[in-house]
Amino acid sequence: MKRMFAVLMVIVMLFSTAACSSSTDTSADKTGNTAQSGDSKSGGTTSGATSSDKTVEIRFSNWDGGATLDAYEAAINAFMKENPNIKVTNLNIPSEYDTKITAMIAANDAPEISILNSDTLLYPLAEEGKLVNILDLIKNDPEFDGSDLIDNLKYMRDPNFMAGYGIGPQNICLFYNPALFKKYGVEEPPAKYENAWDWDTFVENAKKLTIDKNGKNALDPGFDPENIDTYGVTFGKWWAIYMPLVLSSGGDYLNADGTATGMDSPEAINAMQKMADLIWVHHVSPTPIASQTMPGLSESIATNKVAMSINGQWTNSDLMADGVEYNVAVLPKIGSKAKTVMTAGCLSILDTPKKEAAWEFFKYMCSPGAVSALEKSGLWLPSVKSGYTEEYLKEMITDKHPANYYESICLPMLDGTAEPPTTSWVVNFSKINDVLTPALDPVWAGESSYADAIRGAISQLNAEVKGRRDK
């Protein structure tokens, strides 16, 4: 036991040394002149620990790479240009993020502001008193307009404590291949949620677009489901993909009072079975085995292997960069109204002596244009209501964005169609999900009905249910 403790302490000390070393390395040389232009952001004035001539150094931890990391660097440089008394170091941790952040906190070397996983670290840290209540910071800052924050992006530990806020939000939508719709004479899916296809229409059109090796579609006599050349639709098998359809059906992840799972309700069973039937009854979606050899969505659309895909809005970034001819549309509905769900990285401030400086950077990162490169790339959406003005969206949406981007992806963020991330309000989500995900494997494999699978896992699921944060 002593040997294990000694090893742990060595690891903590080594990581702390690396973190401290990285905090002295300015990011200016890495980004050159990539900082944003000089519009003043909501974090442009400083207060508290930032009001003197002394420079305050803070660290911003995150795990992203590629274009997102580059955008962070540019945002940091632009912020420091407007706030010369605050130095921000980009503490990028691409692997074992939760473990390393936990070690830093244990060593009293916590970063001042962090992107946190809402299904793992966020709420335990909030319950341990390691995070600052964002509501208190808003209350004490008369210059900040708290009403600009989007309610569904507030990660609330309880009604009186905001543990973090979702920046770079995204949602789930329908991607489609216009060339295939034109080729087979199928009407393109609607751009607005008020006109969403009902489920039967969606399945019917998916069948028309599913073509076997002999050129027959899934409605034709003699269609060969064992030799499909073009699939009508693909979809992921995780919570953000299936929850919009569960919600549209009238179901939810938990029951109304948060005492049990909601995934065994008749509404949830209906939605989940309909998704499985796309594979095994209607033969319009690839089986798990067939999916293993499917190319990525860019290549699948470019080579006419896929007509539609239920996927995350962030997929636009790859499709746009690859120059793929595609469009986006709204998800189909199972009940009376179609729905989608949001996803987002949660920006939180840790309870350190430099929380006032971290708050200034927090405000900047939430403001429209702070990470405009990610918004223009199709990867992120604006984080606050003021980012959805016609004026700003005209600047953000480029000629590379799909034609329906505004109606199908932007509008749902504010009109009630996009529901909050399931991870933001389900207590103990990760443990519940650890039970539910493998329980669904036989369903996607065609070895079990959804009803049988969920009944077989119900005791384990309910043992992990600890309540709702939104009640």
Side-chain angles (χ1 to χ4, degrees):
M1 192 70 180
K2 290 181 179 179
R3 178 180 297 176
M4 292 177 62
F5 178 79
V7 171
L8 179 60
M9 288 305 298
V10 168
I11 293 173
V12 170
M13 291 173 66
L14 286 173
F15 187 84
S16 299
T17 301
C20 291
S21 175
S22 67
S23 70
T24 64
D25 178 26
T26 179
S27 60
D29 293 339
K30 300 176 183 177
T31 57
N33 295 320
T34 60
Q36 317 260 335
S37 60
D39 291 341
S40 179
K41 310 298 179 189
S42 61
T45 60
T46 59
S47 61
T50 65
S51 61
S52 70
D53 293 334
K54 182 179 179 181
T55 299
V56 178
E57 299 186 17
I58 62 174
R59 290 164 295 170
F60 166 50
S61 72
N62 56 82
W63 59 79
D64 296 283
T68 304
L69 181 58
D70 291 341
Y72 287 160
E73 296 274 12
I76 287 170
N77 276 356
F79 171 80
M80 291 193 297
K81 190 174 182 179
E82 292 186 13
N83 299 267
N85 289 346
I86 304 176
K87 178 184 176 182
V88 181
T89 295
N90 190 0
L91 183 60
N92 185 253
I93 306 173
S95 64
E96 299 181 349
Y97 185 82
D98 286 2
T99 299
K100 292 176 181 177
I101 292 295
T102 300
M104 292 182 73
I105 293 172
N108 292 318
D109 188 33
E112 287 71 27
I113 183 167
S114 297
I115 302 287
L116 295 176
N117 284 304
S118 59
D119 57 343
T120 55
L121 270 189
L122 176 68
Y123 289 115
L125 290 180
E127 288 157 5
E128 293 167 10
K130 304 295 186 181
L131 303 181
V132 174
N133 185 356
I134 304 299
L135 296 181
D136 289 342
L137 295 171
I138 295 172
K139 181 180 178 180
N140 294 325
D141 188 344
E143 296 183 6
F144 182 73
D145 181 11
S147 66
D148 199 28
L149 299 180
I150 298 170
D151 286 342
N152 283 351
L153 293 175
K154 297 175 182 177
Y155 286 78
M156 306 297 293
R157 184 194 69 185
D158 57 58
N160 299 312
F161 192 103
M162 189 192 304
Y165 185 74
I167 64 166
Q170 301 153 328
N171 61 50
I172 308 303
C173 64
L174 185 69
F175 293 81
Y176 71 94
N177 183 338
L180 288 178
F181 278 78
K182 182 178 181 179
K183 179 178 181 178
Y184 296 111
V186 180
E187 182 180 1
E188 293 185 21
K192 296 183 178 180
Y193 271 92
E194 61 195 55
N195 302 321
W197 281 341
D198 60 36
W199 189 256
D200 289 342
T201 301
F202 172 67
V203 172
E204 182 82 0
N205 287 329
K207 288 182 176 181
K208 294 176 182 177
L209 295 161
T210 301
I211 311 298
D212 68 13
K213 298 290 186 181
N214 299 314
K216 294 181 180 293
N217 71 34
L219 292 171
D220 290 333
F223 170 74
D224 184 1
E226 300 298 324
N227 290 286
I228 295 175
D229 188 52
T230 299
Y231 286 96
V233 63
T234 61
F235 61 92
K237 311 300 188 296
W238 60 295
W239 68 265
I241 302 298
Y242 58 70
M243 281 310 299
L245 298 172
V246 171
L247 291 165
S248 175
S249 184
D252 211 338
Y253 200 83
L254 299 182
N255 66 4
D257 60 6
T259 57
T261 181
M263 295 300 289
D264 65 335
S265 69
E267 295 82 6
I269 290 173
N270 180 41
M272 297 296 284
Q273 190 59 55
K274 285 183 183 299
M275 294 185 73
D277 288 348
L278 293 174
I279 304 171
W280 298 105
V281 175
H282 305 301
H283 306 292
V284 297
S285 192
T287 67
I289 292 177
S291 295
Q292 293 176 6
T293 58
M294 291 282 292
L297 189 57
S298 284
E299 184 178 345
S300 293
I301 291 179
T303 58
N304 291 330
K305 296 299 181 182
V306 169
M308 298 181 284
S309 181
I310 299 174
N311 216 315
Q313 167 251 313
W314 54 88
T315 306
N316 283 285
S317 180
D318 289 338
L319 296 176
M320 289 166 60
D322 292 341
V324 177
E325 293 293 329
Y326 77 103
N327 207 344
V328 292
V330 302
L331 298 175
K333 61 184 179 182
I334 293 178
S336 61
K337 188 175 182 180
K339 284 287 186 180
T340 186
V341 297
M342 301 179 184
T343 64
C346 185
L347 187 63
S348 295
I349 296 175
L350 285 91
D351 192 7
T352 72
K354 301 176 183 178
K355 58 189 174 186
E356 290 87 358
W359 170 237
E360 297 301 325
F361 185 62
F362 179 103
K363 291 186 294 181
Y364 185 88
M365 289 297 288
C366 291
S367 62
V371 284
S372 62
L374 298 182
E375 295 166 353
K376 290 180 179 180
S377 76
L379 187 68
W380 280 15
L381 289 170
S383 301
V384 291
K385 296 174 186 176
S386 57
Y388 292 84
T389 62
E390 183 178 355
E391 180 182 4
Y392 184 74
L393 290 176
K394 280 183 178 178
E395 178 185 342
M396 183 194 83
I397 298 175
T398 70
D399 56 2
K400 292 184 178 181
H401 283 76
N404 296 341
Y405 194 83
Y406 173 73
E407 292 87 355
S408 300
I409 291 177
C410 295
L411 282 182
M413 298 297 286
L414 297 179
D415 68 6
T417 301
E419 296 289 340
T422 306
T423 57
S424 72
W425 60 268
V426 175
V427 180
N428 208 37
F429 175 85
S430 62
K431 294 294 182 64
I432 301 171
N433 192 54
D434 285 346
V435 176
L436 181 58
T437 298
L440 295 178
D441 288 342
V443 179
W444 307 131
E447 299 167 355
S448 171
S449 70
Y450 177 77
D452 286 345
I454 199 70
R455 290 188 190 111
I458 198 69
S459 295
Q460 284 180 281
L461 285 169
N462 285 336
E464 300 295 350
V465 173
K466 307 299 180 185
R468 305 177 61 124
R469 299 186 191 278
D470 59 349
K471 298 293 183 182

